[in-house]
Amino acid sequence: MVHTWPVTLRDRELVLRPLQRRDRSAFEALRRRNDAWLRPWDATDPENGRVRPPFATLRRWSERQAKEGTSLPLAIVVEGRLGGQITAFPILYGPQRSAVLGYWIDQRLAGRGIVPRAAALMIDHLFAEMGLHRVEVTVRPENTASIRVVQKLGLRPEGLRRSAIHVDGAWRDHLVFALTVEEVVAGHPGHPGHPGRGVLDRLLTQNSSDTRPA
């Protein structure tokens, strides 16, 4: 198990990297522009509602958790421009060795297949470099775009968690999808015994014959 911070992951024009101080203006503008687009899927505090910390506080929290190895928070950058975020949190070690993956993307970039590629890059890193065993994604049943993402990535549906997470002002049901490292290795004979770029390679191979983006 190797945890390195900071870390940058790349696939052609797509870069996943830590938020930087100079991202503040672009990040705040991105969140304002996408407020209505993201509101139905944003987690909220049952007592305080939808309160987002200032950029400097968010970045400080992200840096601390990343250095501790409990989180892997990365900005999604497309062709040099900030386009969203993807985060593995919480990251658990010991007998579990698992992480929960969350992400959001600029509405202007939706439908271009960026989120599946970003998630595939992240999952491959969590498995191959950080030595995790399982990655989980929870999705509201109404979020058809995100369900399409996990389907493209080959995550297994594991059922419904009732009132699992406080989202958009209420306790919401969430579908659970998961993938283990053995499933990646078994499904990717080009990387025997090691996940490597298994999830990303599988996604790109699938997309070569499937032109529908997500």
Side-chain angles (χ1 to χ4, degrees), residues 38-52:
L38 297 174
R39 182 176 292 271
W41 323 118
D42 270 352
T44 46
D45 187 318
E47 296 182 356
N48 299 312
R50 189 171 179 254
V51 179
R52 297 196 62 83

Side-chain angles (χ1 to χ4, degrees), residues 145-208:
S146 196
I147 291 173
R148 174 64 177 154
V149 168
V150 295
Q151 290 173 338
K152 289 173 76 71
L153 293 168
L155 273 68
R156 285 176 290 97
E158 292 192 332
L160 181 71
R161 288 180 182 166
R162 295 288 184 185
S163 300
I165 306 174
H166 202 270
V167 173
D168 193 26
W171 292 104
R172 310 288 184 176
D173 296 347
H174 279 70
L175 295 167
V176 181
F177 298 86
L179 187 68
T180 65
V181 68
E182 292 93 347
E183 292 170 287
V184 178
V185 172
H188 197 76
H191 296 83
H194 194 280
R197 283 172 53 101
V199 180
L200 181 61
D201 285 351
R202 182 171 63 186
L203 176 69
L204 296 178
T205 299
Q206 172 187 324
N207 283 349
S208 67

